[in-house]
Amino acid sequence: MRKGIILFCSFIVIAVTKAQTTDSTITGKVIVTKDPRLDILAKQEADFNKATVGLGTRAANGYRLLVVNSNDRVYAMKVRAALLQRFPEEKVYMTFQAPFIKLKFGNFIEKEDAEKYRKLVTAYKIVSNNIYLVSEIVEVKVDRNKDINDD
């Protein structure tokens, strides 16, 4: 009986390994069908990337003003709207780190520029609490004409 079980198991193992072998002379053919809208989307993305490179933005060490650090979303949105209305040339960055909403303002390379804007925001009484100067990586717009004249 024992020899029969061993013979049966070896037969099963041989049958399974034979079923797994493939003939290397037979090659398969894969047909990929894609949506033609993907080509249009890829072209639009490439055009957008080329246009963005032309704008000349890069990153550098700089400063931002931490204007709001609160869990009151309504207050944060009110301050954000006031900053965008009063200073349309500067960007406002809103982040959520549970449970607080942080509102950062501006892209300043020089500390003096950031201090000037801090005094302006305080003078306009946009916020009632302290405004902190934080060191961050900021966006810098490169003047393309300045680079051409320097060459």
Side-chain angles (χ1 to χ4, degrees), residues 6-62:
I6 292 174
L7 185 61
F8 179 73
C9 289
S10 61
F11 176 72
I12 295 293
V13 169
I14 291 171
V16 169
T17 55
K18 284 285 189 182
Q20 297 295 324
T21 59
T22 58
D23 189 4
S24 62
T25 59
I26 301 173
T27 57
K29 185 176 183 181
V30 177
I31 299 172
V32 177
T33 307
K34 69 175 181 175
D35 193 346
R37 295 179 293 178
L38 288 174
D39 292 330
I40 296 168
L41 182 63
K43 185 180 180 322
Q44 287 176 347
E45 189 171 349
D47 293 343
F48 176 76
N49 288 340
K50 286 179 187 175
T52 305
V53 169
L55 293 177
T57 57
R58 63 180 177 89
N61 289 330

Side-chain angles (χ1 to χ4, degrees), residues 33-139:
T33 307
K34 69 175 181 175
D35 193 346
R37 295 179 293 178
L38 288 174
D39 292 330
I40 296 168
L41 182 63
K43 185 180 180 322
Q44 287 176 347
E45 189 171 349
D47 293 343
F48 176 76
N49 288 340
K50 286 179 187 175
T52 305
V53 169
L55 293 177
T57 57
R58 63 180 177 89
N61 289 330
Y63 302 94
R64 287 200 179 118
L65 298 176
L66 179 62
V67 181
V68 173
N69 188 17
S70 171
N71 58 359
D72 186 0
R73 184 177 184 275
V74 174
Y75 174 70
M77 293 302 285
K78 180 180 146 194
V79 171
R80 180 179 180 269
L83 286 170
L84 288 173
Q85 286 176 352
R86 187 65 74 165
F87 307 103
E89 71 278 0
E90 294 295 334
K91 286 189 175 182
V92 179
Y93 300 91
M94 182 179 265
T95 57
F96 179 72
Q97 293 177 342
F100 296 106
I101 295 171
K102 292 185 178 187
L103 200 63
K104 295 179 184 175
F105 172 72
N107 290 313
F108 307 110
I109 297 298
E110 301 295 327
K111 195 172 189 176
E112 293 78 26
D113 293 337
E115 289 289 342
K116 182 181 85 169
Y117 273 92
R118 177 171 37 185
K119 289 177 184 174
L120 285 172
V121 170
T122 305
Y124 289 135
K125 297 182 181 182
I126 295 174
V127 293
S128 58
N129 55 351
N130 292 336
I131 300 171
Y132 299 101
L133 188 69
V134 290
S135 178
E136 284 196 8
I137 304 294
V138 297
E139 295 176 14

